[in-house]
Amino acid sequence: MNIDILTVLPELLESPFSHSILKRAKEKELLTIRVHHLRQWAVNEYGQVDDYQYGGGAGMVMMPEPLANAIEALSGEVLARGRKYDEIIYMTPDGDRLNQKIANTLSLKENLLIICGHYKGIDQRIREQYVTREISIGDYVLSGGELAAAVLTDAIGRLIPGVLNDETSALFDSFQDNLLAPPVYTRPADFRGAKVPEVLLSGDPKKIGDWRHDQSLSHTRERRPDLLDNEE
Ligand code: ADE
């Protein structure tokens, strides 16, 4: 999978993809992440990519021209590889709220472009003419879309087939079945008097599987009953 990210703050995205699972995904060549500085497509030599909003009001808006030129240039590069973007995603608090289902769907795509907004956001015409999907990572406002893009990329990247060592492990993540994950334990079996549940020491895979499922269900009922209501 190839993920291109368009931003005015590429420095913010240097570290998140250089460790752990995403680092391994890149090393295995299952994932390529390219971070592009929007200022390459600035409208003048001062690097301008934003301007005052029509109608007045505080805060700048990201101009359509640099964004359109950037999207077209990057789309051209993808086209040169015989492909096109499966989705052009704009990170914004008024987008669809990210969940595991969206991450699963996007992890099966080949080419994604993620646009990070800044200031008051991007000109509406870019949203209408180029963006195919708008995603929020939660009901709060960040200073920019970069951290949201990092969250989305991480959530997608770890689901790409072959990325996780033990491929089945993503199957048991919280949310995969609209259920939260069961509790986990490691050594020692007795930590200051608190014991690991007996069943986990039984060596009986069926019993352990049933226990985990029951725990998931009760945990979900207690903390996130809304997930059970949403079961499809
Ligand atoms: N940009 C600013 N806040 C955001 C959010 N909550 N989700 C996605 N992008 C954002």
Side-chain angles (χ1 to χ4, degrees):
M1 176 189 288
N2 303 297
I3 301 183
D4 288 306
I5 304 179
L6 197 49
T7 169
V8 289
L9 276 178
E11 302 83 0
L12 256 182
L13 292 168
E14 270 162 22
S15 177
F17 312 131
S18 307
H19 308 278
S20 180
I21 290 171
L22 287 203
K23 179 178 177 210
R24 205 165 61 219
K26 292 198 292 181
E27 284 167 357
K28 285 187 181 170
E29 296 186 1
L30 295 168
L31 176 62
T32 309
I33 300 171
R34 294 183 305 167
V35 179
H36 306 273
H37 202 322
L38 182 65
R39 288 203 202 282
Q40 288 175 74
W41 292 278
V43 291
N44 56 31
E45 73 225 56
Y46 307 110
Q48 187 182 359
V49 292
D50 60 331
D51 212 332
Y52 296 102
Q53 54 178 313
Y54 279 118
M60 306 292 270
V61 174
M62 288 168 74
M63 303 168 81
E65 197 181 344
L67 283 165
N69 287 337
I71 295 167
E72 283 163 13
L74 296 173
S75 299
E77 287 177 24
V78 176
L79 200 60
R81 301 198 295 269
R83 311 300 296 247
K84 61 196 275 288
Y85 283 122
D86 298 295
E87 298 280 8
I88 296 180
I89 301 166
Y90 173 46
M91 303 309 302
T92 175
D94 61 355
D96 294 334
R97 183 126 39 98
L98 179 62
N99 59 26
Q100 196 65 26
K101 188 163 168 233
I102 295 177
N104 284 338
T105 306
L106 292 175
S107 74
L108 301 174
K109 308 289 184 192
E110 274 294 315
N111 290 285
L112 300 177
L113 173 60
I114 304 177
I115 301 170
C116 305
H118 251 274
Y119 322 113
K120 277 280 164 195
I122 68 175
D123 188 283
Q124 181 63 20
R125 291 163 291 185
I126 293 296
R127 297 174 75 160
E128 286 164 8
Q129 292 175 26
Y130 293 92
V131 169
T132 60
R133 187 142 206 180
E134 302 191 329
I135 295 179
S136 160
I137 63 161
D139 292 344
Y140 42 82
V141 178
L142 302 165
S143 327
E146 286 73 17
L147 297 179
V151 167
L152 177 65
T153 302
D154 190 291
I156 295 171
R158 60 193 296 284
L159 295 173
I160 299 171
V163 167
L164 293 180
N165 264 348
D166 173 2
E167 270 207 54
T168 58
S169 66
L171 294 177
F172 298 108
D173 282 347
S174 278
F175 306 112
Q176 280 298 5
D177 299 318
N178 277 338
L179 290 178
L180 300 179
V184 292
Y185 298 86
T186 186
R187 282 187 290 187
D190 182 336
F191 173 64
R192 300 177 185 172
K195 301 214 170 52
V196 170
E198 201 62 45
V199 58
L200 295 178
L201 310 175
S202 70
D204 181 335
K206 164 95 176 63
K207 267 197 202 156
I208 293 172
D210 288 349
W211 179 84
R212 285 186 170 146
H213 186 69
D214 288 349
Q215 289 287 316
S216 278
L217 259 178
S218 55
H219 197 49
T220 310
R221 235 177 247 130
E222 210 174 282
R223 298 191 167 196
R224 294 290 307 275
D226 58 299
L227 291 175
L228 297 171
D229 297 340
N230 289 343
E231 210 147 7
E232 283 164 20

